[in-house]
Amino acid sequence: MNTVLSRANSLFAFSLSVMAALTFGCFVTTAFKDRRVPVDIHVSRVMLKNVDDFTGPRERSDLGFITFDLSADLQPIFDWNVKQLFLYMSAEYATKSNALNQVVLWDKIVLRGENTKLNLRDTKSKYFFFDDGNGLRANKNITLSLSWNVVPNAGILPLVAGSGHISLPFPESYEATRSY
Amino acid sequence: FRLLLCISSGKMLSMFKSIPTHMDYKGQKLAEQIFQGIILISATIGFVYGLIIEQFGWTVYIVLAGFVISCVLTLPPWPMYRQNPLSWQPVIPESSAEPIQKPQESLKKKKHK
């Protein structure tokens, strides 16, 4: 500690260690928090088509179009350890050829400081709802649910399922729209 | 212009190197205690404040402020760190009658530093 550089080195290393301990403390204060929030989903329109799918192994696959309403209040999730939320809405269903299918239809990133009350009306799905085959037609049970990834400042990234989902059957024939 | 810059920076470097920055041992201990105390205090204040206002950014800012205060207080060799200087042996005048003891004495002086 005789020279300025030696003192500066010692001081800087100590500060970094203290900062690391504070970051760990920040993680510990929010590690076991429950990050679920009630979510309300409502579907207004579903349309089904059978189109050429160039990305799959077969000629034509089912393509669904969903128009939905979404409302949730995400304010309780944000605390001092949350940087942003990655929300995504997915559809889950079973077909004759595949036991479990999950397709992401819509997503959004909510940063800290932005409006946390989610209130969407008549939103069209962002991504194509292609099926691996022709399993969407006359499917009795397709479940839509909203989930999110919490991106923290320090710690683990939990994947949380919102506590609200809606199940709906798809139309019997192609090009036919069904309103709810 | 570049030559002028080289000359001036060379002079500045030798000027910086010639500024005395040493502290005595008690001073070094005092400096270490001071900066550890300041950083720890600013860390606890920052942690509590960040927890209350729910923003981790403020915790970082407060610790950074503590770091800057510690830098100002402990990096330059203030007089309070030189209160207990070491008492060196008085200089023995050079005499040609003791050629054997000279290298031993220079060895001792090097160890004291």
Side-chain angles (χ1 to χ4, degrees):
Chain A
M1 296 271 287
N2 204 17
T3 58
V4 174
L5 286 182
S6 166
R7 287 196 288 274
N9 177 29
S10 185
L11 172 60
F12 186 61
F14 185 69
S15 303
L16 278 189
S17 307
V18 165
M19 202 62 235
L22 283 186
T23 311
F24 181 72
C26 176
F27 157 64
V28 160
T29 54
T30 59
F32 303 108
K33 196 173 146 181
D34 186 17
R35 303 211 183 255
R36 282 182 302 207
V37 165
V39 163
D40 191 36
I41 314 178
H42 177 71
V43 173
S44 49
R45 223 167 75 96
V46 170
M47 178 165 69
L48 189 54
K49 281 188 180 182
N50 190 236
V51 297
D52 290 334
D53 183 11
F54 301 109
T55 64
R58 58 190 63 79
E59 282 288 330
R60 301 176 81 84
S61 301
D62 281 354
L63 177 59
F65 296 88
I66 300 189
T67 311
F68 57 92
D69 303 335
L70 189 58
S71 67
D73 181 18
L74 305 167
Q75 181 53 39
I77 308 178
F78 279 95
D79 54 21
W80 75 328
N81 199 17
V82 173
K83 179 174 172 284
Q84 65 192 21
L85 287 186
F86 176 71
L87 311 164
Y88 62 95
M89 193 176 75
S90 58
E92 189 173 316
Y93 59 99
T95 61
K96 281 193 282 288
S97 45
N98 303 314
L100 178 63
N101 303 276
Q102 286 170 330
V103 184
V104 173
L105 299 178
W106 173 91
D107 56 27
K108 181 175 171 51
I109 291 182
V110 178
L111 296 171
R112 204 146 79 122
E114 279 180 4
N115 188 18
T116 51
K117 289 201 188 331
L118 210 59
N119 207 354
L120 302 166
R121 296 262 164 270
D122 285 335
T123 318
K124 289 200 278 257
S125 57
K126 229 194 217 185
Y127 305 113
F128 287 126
F129 191 174
F130 262 118
D131 182 44
D132 182 29
N134 301 307
L136 283 184
R137 183 162 67 106
N139 198 314
K140 294 280 180 306
N141 191 7
I142 302 213
T143 309
L144 298 175
S145 59
L146 181 71
S147 330
W148 50 81
N149 244 330
V150 178
V151 177
N153 278 326
I156 348 179
L157 283 82
L159 179 60
V160 181
S163 20
H165 59 259
I166 176 172
S167 299
L168 55 128
F170 255 45
E172 309 279 323
S173 50
Y174 294 125
E175 288 280 15
T177 66
R178 191 169 183 168
S179 296
Y180 295 91
Chain B
F1 171 67
R2 223 180 275 169
L3 194 60
L4 213 66
L5 205 63
C6 284
I7 294 176
S8 63
S9 64
K11 241 194 208 161
M12 279 186 62
L13 199 60
S14 58
M15 248 175 60
F16 275 128
K17 280 195 174 159
S18 68
I19 297 176
T21 60
H22 61 270
M23 301 174 173
D24 51 52
Y25 293 126
K26 286 256 164 53
Q28 290 174 21
K29 178 174 164 190
L30 179 64
E32 184 163 345
Q33 285 174 337
I34 284 181
F35 81 65
Q36 280 177 349
I38 291 182
I39 299 263
L40 284 178
I41 288 178
S42 66
T44 39
I45 293 178
F47 190 76
V48 171
Y49 187 61
L51 191 59
I52 289 177
I53 66 166
E54 298 263 307
Q55 283 186 25
F56 191 62
W58 273 97
T59 303
V60 179
Y61 294 147
I62 292 179
V63 173
L64 219 57
F67 176 75
V68 167
I69 294 177
S70 304
C71 275
V72 167
L73 275 183
T74 63
L75 285 187
W78 301 113
M80 64 175 164
Y81 301 125
R82 292 186 178 172
Q83 302 275 345
N84 298 36
L86 292 171
S87 52
W88 293 104
Q89 296 270 345
V91 178
I92 295 182
E94 299 232 348
S95 60
S96 50
E98 310 167 81
I100 308 170
Q101 292 190 356
K102 260 198 209 158
Q104 281 184 341
E105 261 171 352
S106 58
L107 200 66
K108 251 201 240 168
K109 280 209 180 109
K110 274 200 185 143
K111 273 198 186 152
H112 271 303
K113 248 200 176 149

